[in-house]
Amino acid sequence: MVKDNIMKQTDGLFHDIFKEIAQEYPELEANSQIIDIGAANLADRPQNFDVVVTLNLYGDIISDIVAQIAGSVGMAGSSNIGEIVSMFEAIHGSAPDIAGKNLANPSGLLNAAVMMLVHIGQPDIAAKVNNAWLLAIEEGIHTGDIFKAGVSRIKVGTKEFADAVIGNLGHLPEKFKPVSFGKAKKIIIPEYKKIIQKKELVGVDIFLDWTGNDPNELGNKLKSLSNDLMLKIITNRGVKVYPDGQPETFLIDHWRCRFVSKNALIQQEDPSYHPISHKQIAELLLKLDSAGFDTIKTENLYYFNGKRAFSLGQGE
Amino acid sequence: MVKDNIMKQTDGLFHDIFKEIAQEYPELEANSQIIDIGAANLADRPQNFDVVVTLNLYGDIISDIVAQIAGSVGMAGSSNIGEIVSMFEAIHGSAPDIAGKNLANPSGLLNAAVMMLVHIGQPDIAAKVNNAWLLAIEEGIHTGDIFKAGVSRIKVGTKEFADAVIGNLGHLPEKFKPVSFGKAKKIIIPEYKKIIQKKELVGVDIFLDWTGNDPNELGNKLKSLSNDLMLKIITNRGVKVYPDGQPETFLIDHWRCRFVSKNALIQQEDPSYHPISHKQIAELLLKLDSAGFDTIKTENLYYFNGKRAFSLGQGE
């Protein structure tokens, strides 16, 4: 799940690599959804999904969603597998508001510990803990977050729930299917062979903090400064405001000013850019400073393998 | 809903402004949730929510979630209210895969049009359309996305559904409560009075594309170059790798190098920074270029009202 219809470069790269890696596993069915509708489908019909590959921010959101609609964010554990170090944790946050009050559901941490035990090669102990936990759940011994009158039997605190699980060690659940783990196969993360692309610097976005409100005034000032590089456009909140902006555009004091080489062909449908140098950028920054402009950040614009690797502004 | 526990500066600013504006409306109850658990709660118990104020990316996701679990993303309209221009649209995307096939549910667009009619002062026509639509829905005339055997009566296409709504114009629903709209009050967006803060440039993050793999090599090279500004740390994927990095840290070719003034007090628990100039940054960029480094972007570091307005790296 990505949002590469909007974040074409960043989420787009993630999606490209996903497709690249998916080809190495033809036995797995791989497809993708935009995160908006993907999260909606997941909330609506989680049973339609198996493994979801996504970026960190989206993963934080959808992991909470699936745990919550399955009962509680307090239930699920998670694993972070690295080449050298692996880390296991509950999926939920630190919940400082209920810390130390004997209210938290320890199931998330317990289930993370079960994953860890399998990972480090102790599948029998993992199964023992997991089955004891399943039995406690099916006995209706529930912390407040999953307590439901008519279904649950006793509402307990963190400590009492843990005691119930400990008391169940060595017993199997009756309604739930008991789990057993085979010896875990070591997870090998194949080294990623990066495809080296030809990279050419063709422009720079310079972001200014400017308190004026006339984009044409800013544009004309910048044009007079930049004899070496050419001002192509100015955007404000992603929308083109110079040249030929719309008077309705709501303006803030954060201006993105895009400079490209003087001989770039920017009038054609699909503009063609030419290489510029880091020195030209630094010299432009010095000029901007001398003229009293407050540069707050810069982002270089590149071609990769001759293909534009930067987004266009709205209206560019 | 924000994620200001992680994105402290950007989502944090949004949250601060939310609280600032909320104080102007003491009659409204305002509280906040981290987007992860907020989205999960919304998917689980949407009835607990009223108005949700959030950032664009999160809003895209949760608006699809609530529409989908309420029946279909095809049902809901949306409005974007501006000072001069307002825009009304279905909440869903353009769904190119079903375009032109007489499959799409036109309810989202219809409901957006109802909102628009209310907005432009035609509440009676809005109610007429809305009631005709409600009647079609309760008659069980459903497009494929909301068709449910046993509940729906006829599965129809886009055109047939629209015809059913047109045929119902002037009639009221019987099971659903008929709607009526009073004359809409004009939505006045009060001008936002920005609180001007004192801004001081105290450092810069310079991002390098560097193919080496020894952070100490990079750090020592940069130290030898920067006689004017001081290299404070290098991070890779947000994690400190210089000085005193961990050998386990997975490294990519994207290095964030943080420079601050030579007299900054960085050894103390809460470091104290001193002003630097734009000229110093540009001159450092020239030096980096001469030494063969490939700078890809820069981000200036500021104090606002004497308070650090930039995040620290993991381990910084």
Side-chain angles (χ1 to χ4, degrees), chain B residues 97-132:
Chain B
D97 52 324
I98 60 165
K101 294 183 181 163
N102 199 36
L103 288 171
N105 184 346
S107 298
L109 269 181
L110 257 179
N111 283 322
V114 166
M115 292 171 120
M116 183 188 70
L117 286 165
V118 173
H119 185 74
I120 63 175
Q122 305 213 18
D124 296 339
I125 298 178
K128 199 169 173 181
V129 175
N130 202 343
N131 284 320

Side-chain angles (χ1 to χ4, degrees), chain B residues 65-290:
Chain B
I65 291 174
V66 290
Q68 183 68 29
I69 60 173
S72 161
V73 288
M75 298 293 272
S78 72
S79 58
N80 305 266
I81 309 295
E83 282 178 328
I84 300 167
V85 178
S86 293
M87 201 263 285
F88 301 82
E89 60 181 338
I91 65 145
H92 56 72
S94 56
D97 52 324
I98 60 165
K101 294 183 181 163
N102 199 36
L103 288 171
N105 184 346
S107 298
L109 269 181
L110 257 179
N111 283 322
V114 166
M115 292 171 120
M116 183 188 70
L117 286 165
V118 173
H119 185 74
I120 63 175
Q122 305 213 18
D124 296 339
I125 298 178
K128 199 169 173 181
V129 175
N130 202 343
N131 284 320
W133 173 76
L134 283 170
L135 182 54
I137 295 289
E138 83 174 21
E139 285 173 336
I141 303 171
H142 294 165
T143 45
D145 58 321
I146 58 167
F147 186 85
K148 201 172 174 183
V151 177
S152 307
R153 207 164 49 82
I154 329 172
K155 191 190 277 189
V156 294
T158 314
K159 194 178 171 318
E160 294 73 29
F161 182 81
D163 286 341
V165 174
I166 293 166
N168 285 344
L169 285 170
H171 299 277
L172 297 178
E174 282 161 30
K175 285 175 247 161
F176 288 123
K177 202 177 151 208
V179 301
S180 70
F181 302 105
K183 184 134 185 63
K185 273 201 294 187
K186 193 166 159 45
I187 295 174
I188 309 278
I189 302 177
E191 201 191 338
Y192 178 65
K193 296 253 180 293
K194 188 174 158 180
I195 299 163
I196 303 296
Q197 303 202 2
K198 188 185 166 206
K199 180 178 159 194
E200 287 169 284
L201 179 62
V202 297
V204 62
D205 282 345
I206 295 183
F207 295 76
L208 299 178
D209 179 357
W210 186 67
T211 51
N213 55 17
D214 178 0
N216 292 317
E217 180 192 338
L218 179 60
N220 293 333
K221 276 189 185 168
L222 293 178
K223 277 219 155 158
S224 72
L225 286 175
S226 55
N227 55 353
D228 200 21
L229 295 173
M230 169 171 68
L231 177 66
K232 180 167 186 263
I233 51 151
I234 303 174
T235 64
N236 194 301
R237 297 164 57 252
V239 178
K240 184 179 82 166
V241 293
Y242 178 89
D244 309 321
Q246 301 294 329
E248 292 88 353
T249 304
F250 178 77
L251 302 170
I252 58 168
D253 54 13
H254 186 267
W255 306 80
R256 189 251 308 251
C257 309
R258 175 162 287 181
F259 292 90
V260 297
S261 74
K262 233 169 39 176
N263 55 349
L265 303 170
I266 60 170
Q267 296 303 332
Q268 57 199 40
E269 177 80 31
D270 188 17
S272 152
Y273 303 93
H274 291 279
I276 67 166
S277 71
H278 287 89
K279 189 156 171 271
Q280 285 176 303
I281 295 174
E283 283 169 353
L284 176 58
L285 292 174
L286 283 171
K287 264 195 222 169
L288 288 168
D289 179 46
S290 300

Side-chain angles (χ1 to χ4, degrees), chain A residues 49 60 111 133 137 156 175 221 261 296 298:
Chain A
F49 291 82
D60 277 357
N111 283 321
W133 173 76
I137 296 289
V156 293
K175 284 175 248 162
K221 276 188 185 169
S261 74
I296 51 179
T298 67

